[in-house]
Amino acid sequence: GKDVKRFKPGDHVGVGCMVDSCQKCSACEEGHEQYCAEIATFTYNHVDRHDKMPTYGGYSEKIVVSDKFVLKVPDGLDLKGAAPLLCAGITTWSPLRHWKAGKGSKVAVIGLGGLGHMALKLANALGADVTLFTRSAGKEQDARRLGAHNVVLSTNKGQMASVQGRFDLIIDTVPYVHDLNHYLPTLTINGTLVLLGYVGDLESMLSTVPLVMGRRSVAGSVIGGIAETQEMLDFCGKHGITSDVEVIKIQDINKAYERMLKSDVKYRFVIDMASLKAT
Ligand SMILES: [Zn+2]
């Protein structure tokens, strides 16, 4: 409407994972709408807090959303590659910023998928020394292209031993149950491992020894607030960072879903909504 001052017709804008929140709890007031005490309204498969209708996400030609939840996409950023920044980008940016990754810090990323490839790019651009933990040697070339300075095979005992006590921050993007005890000794004193991809009980049981004996932390994080999402987009605009994407037609969504389950995508699928008209 006419009261919207931050945007004008023709601007390139984006909507991320949230379209609304209570706007009055302490999390919202601090700009962390993703942790809203009344739970943010998510963009897809959620219920709108005003009209109680389901939210359908971006699988449409138009979306009506409060300007508070609209992000400006910097000029010059490829829109296809910018779309996943609003999810994978902010999910990795928020912990990198919260734990102050930058020049002089050592960051490791576990897993090279949609989240992992963004973590490598962003941590590298922030000036950190970046390492990828992976179980497959075949990922080394891609990892280095995306910003890793080092690659450690997590299945190789010798390589794991060589990085004990090394990392200030470990960005853990693994989306299934896995053993953190394997990685905690690679944190430096006061280091933090932050889980982004897995929600649930851990196996094996977490040993507190590396935590207690080094003031190390295990943490979690989900997406990011609106202000920090804009900060991330502006940073990406300045550094020319986008997500590596494969654009598909909406008609190929089931095939893409099957491939995603097999991790057969580099590194995000983006649906061209113009293809919706062809159905
Ligand atoms: Zn709130």
Side-chain angles (χ1 to χ4, degrees):
K2 63 177 168 38
D3 293 336
V4 174
K5 304 285 186 244
R6 293 167 55 226
F7 305 102
K8 59 181 191 309
D11 281 355
H12 284 153
V13 298
V15 175
C17 306
M18 300 179 288
V19 286
D20 207 354
S21 70
C22 86
Q23 302 283 304
K24 56 184 196 297
C25 72
S26 61
C28 285
E29 279 181 357
E30 287 164 18
H32 304 303
E33 298 89 349
Q34 75 276 30
Y35 303 125
C36 174
E38 294 183 12
I39 302 183
T41 306
F42 292 99
T43 308
Y44 25 81
N45 203 21
H46 213 209
V47 177
D48 185 278
R49 60 205 320 117
H50 301 293
D51 64 12
K52 311 297 176 205
M53 296 289 284
T55 60
Y56 291 111
Y59 308 119
S60 58
E61 291 167 40
K62 297 188 179 90
I63 186 167
V64 178
V65 56
S66 160
D67 67 323
K68 288 195 182 74
F69 286 80
V70 176
L71 289 315
K72 173 92 184 82
V73 179
D75 293 335
L77 271 194
D78 173 55
L79 293 179
K80 301 185 289 292
L85 296 179
L86 298 164
C87 183
I90 184 58
T91 299
T92 47
W93 175 260
S94 183
L96 286 168
R97 293 286 286 155
H98 181 76
W99 279 281
K100 300 182 169 54
K103 281 192 176 52
S105 64
K106 293 186 170 65
V107 174
V109 176
I110 310 178
L112 183 54
L115 289 175
H117 97 291
M118 284 314 307
L120 294 181
K121 289 187 186 207
L122 293 172
N124 179 296
L126 282 165
D129 180 83
V130 186
T131 297
L132 176 75
F133 281 121
T134 178
R135 294 192 303 178
S136 39
K139 297 207 168 164
E140 173 151 4
Q141 204 181 350
D142 243 17
R144 290 189 185 276
R145 175 181 66 79
L146 293 163
H149 302 101
N150 309 289
V151 176
V152 172
L153 263 183
S154 56
T155 49
N156 181 307
K157 280 203 175 99
Q159 289 191 24
M160 288 303 281
S162 73
V163 291
Q164 300 293 293
R166 182 177 171 89
F167 303 111
D168 301 294
L169 178 65
I170 299 179
I171 300 281
D172 183 341
T173 72
V174 179
Y176 43 79
V177 67
H178 56 293
D179 186 1
L180 299 192
N181 296 305
H182 198 51
Y183 299 100
L184 293 180
T186 71
L187 286 171
T188 185
I189 306 304
N190 296 321
T192 300
L193 180 148
V194 58
L195 291 149
L196 306 182
Y198 174 70
V199 180
D201 296 335
L202 288 166
E203 281 177 39
S204 309
M205 296 277 261
L206 211 53
S207 166
T208 65
V209 175
L211 306 180
V212 172
M213 300 309 288
R215 202 160 60 187
R216 300 180 178 93
S217 307
V218 173
S221 177
V222 73
I223 50 172
I226 294 299
E228 62 182 343
T229 304
Q230 189 62 61
E231 176 193 69
M232 177 275 305
L233 285 169
D234 294 344
F235 179 87
C236 288
K238 199 169 141 204
H239 293 267
I241 296 172
T242 51
S243 177
D244 288 18
V245 300
E246 184 178 332
V247 179
I248 60 162
K249 298 191 179 90
I250 192 93
Q251 291 81 357
D252 295 327
I253 188 102
N254 290 331
K255 217 185 304 168
Y257 183 72
E258 292 299 322
R259 285 182 50 199
M260 186 201 69
L261 292 177
K262 289 183 253 173
S263 303
D264 176 23
V265 53
K266 288 186 175 175
Y267 280 90
R268 274 289 193 244
F269 285 120
V270 169
I271 306 165
D272 179 4
M273 292 317 299
S275 62
L276 198 61
K277 289 184 175 162
T279 56

